[in-house]
C-alpha cells in the first residue's frame, strides 16, 4: 500500500473514531506511518485528505447497501437484508458520524458526499419498494418514498440510541419495529403461510 492509500485509510479510521475536529494531521501521520511531506505531496491539507476519506467511506457504504438491495427475493427480503446486515452498531455509522460534526456540515465540499450518499440510499430503497408495489408483493397503498425515508431514519436513529445506551439493543429493537411495519404491507401469495415479521438479528 502506497503512502497515499495509507493516509486515506488512516483518515477514514480516525474520522470514524474521533470525528473531524478530533482528527489532527499529527494523528493521521502517526496512524499512516508516513512523514508530513507525503501528506502535502498528495493533498492540500487536512480538509483535502478528509474529503478523499469521506468520499471513500461513502462509496464503500453504497456498495455494501447496493449488494443487499440487489440481492435475490422479494422487495421485503431485499430491504430486510439491508436492515439486518452485520454492523458495528456501537461505533455508529461512519457516514452519519460526520453529520454530527459542525465543521463538516458547514463545509459544502465535505458535506456533499454525505448528502449524495443519503440521497442515493433513500432513492435506492424507494426504488426497491416501488418495484414491490408494482409486482403486487407490497400493498398498493404503500408510499415508497416516505417508507424509504423511514427506513433510513430508523437506521441512523438506531445508531444514536445504541451509542447513548452503550448497547446494541435499541438499534435491534428499532430494526425489528420497522420490519414488522413493513411486513404488514406484504401481500401474501395464494395458499402461502404467513411469513414471520422479522428474522433474528445477527451479532457482529
Amino acid at each position: 500500500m502506497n503512502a497515499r492509500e495509507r493516509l486515506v485509510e488512516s483518515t477514514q479510521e480516525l474520522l470514524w473514531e474521533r470525528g473531524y475536529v478530533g482528527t489532527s494531521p499529527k494523528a493521521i501521520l502517526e496512524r499512516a506511518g508516513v512523514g508530513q511531506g507525503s501528506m502535502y505531496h498528495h493533498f492540500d491539507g487536512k480538509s483535502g485528505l478528509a474529503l478523499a476519506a469521506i468520499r471513500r467511506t461513502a462509496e464503500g457504504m453504497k456498495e455494501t447497501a447496493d449488494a443487499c438491495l440487489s440481492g435475490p427475493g422479494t422487495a421485503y427480503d431485499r430491504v430486510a437484508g439491508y436492515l439486518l446486515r452485520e454492523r458495528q452498531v456501537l461505533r455508529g455509522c461512519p457516514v452519519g458520524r460526520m453529520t454530527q460534526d459542525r465543521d463538516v456540515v458547514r463545509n459544502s465540499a465535505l458535506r456533499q458526499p454525505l448528502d449524495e450518499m443519503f440521497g442515493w440510499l433513500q432513492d435506492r430503497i424507494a426504488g426497491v419498494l416501488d418495484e414491490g408495489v408494482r409486482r403486487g408483493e407490497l400493498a398498493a397503498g404503500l408510499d415508497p418514498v416516505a417508507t424509504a425515508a423511514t427506513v433510513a431514519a430508523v437506521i441512523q436513529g438506531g445508531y444514536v440510541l445504541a451509542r447513548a445506551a452503550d448497547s446494541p439493543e435499541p438499534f435491534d429493537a428499532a430494526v425489528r419495529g420497522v420490519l414488522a411495519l413493513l411486513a404488514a404491507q406484504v401481500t401474501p401469495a395464494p395458499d402461502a403461510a404467513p411469513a414471520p415479521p422479522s428474522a433474528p438479528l445477527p451479532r457482529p
Side-chain angles (χ1 to χ4, degrees):
M1 189 182 299
N2 60 33
R4 187 183 191 282
E5 285 300 303
R6 292 202 301 273
L7 284 165
V8 172
E9 287 198 3
S10 297
T11 304
Q12 286 182 273
E13 295 167 2
L14 288 165
L15 289 175
W16 196 3
E17 294 170 11
R18 307 180 185 182
Y20 182 77
V21 173
T23 297
S24 67
K26 180 180 178 181
I28 294 171
L29 295 174
E30 289 178 351
R31 180 73 63 94
V34 301
Q36 186 175 5
S38 294
M39 177 175 173
Y40 290 99
H41 173 72
H42 295 288
F43 303 98
D44 59 4
K46 175 183 171 179
S47 62
L49 177 50
L51 177 59
I54 292 170
R55 282 176 174 163
R56 177 81 61 84
T57 298
E59 286 301 316
M61 288 190 64
K62 284 173 66 174
E63 290 177 7
T64 300
D66 195 50
C68 296
L69 296 167
S70 301
T74 65
Y76 173 88
D77 295 332
R78 291 152 65 191
V79 174
Y82 167 71
L83 286 165
L84 294 169
R85 76 169 181 81
E86 186 173 309
R87 292 177 169 86
Q88 298 182 56
V89 174
L90 294 183
R91 290 190 70 186
C93 173
V95 172
R97 175 85 166 80
M98 295 296 94
T99 67
Q100 301 170 37
D101 197 312
R102 183 175 63 180
D103 285 15
V104 173
V105 172
R106 289 182 173 180
N107 185 313
S108 59
L110 294 177
R111 194 181 67 243
Q112 183 178 358
L114 310 179
D115 294 340
E116 291 175 352
M117 166 60 199
F118 287 122
W120 173 88
L121 180 61
Q122 291 192 43
D123 287 346
R124 186 71 181 87
I125 295 172
V128 172
L129 295 172
D130 181 64
E131 183 180 325
V133 171
R134 288 186 286 105
R135 290 182 174 181
E137 298 168 356
L138 299 171
L142 178 76
D143 184 334
V145 174
T147 305
T150 300
V151 170
V154 163
I155 291 293
Q156 293 304 315
Y159 278 123
V160 172
L161 294 175
R163 285 171 63 84
D166 195 27
S167 167
E169 176 52 33
F171 183 95
D172 295 349
V175 168
R176 287 194 298 268
V178 76
L179 281 175
L181 293 173
L182 189 57
Q185 300 297 313
V186 172
T187 303
D191 302 323
S198 63
L201 291 165
R203 291 267 56 87

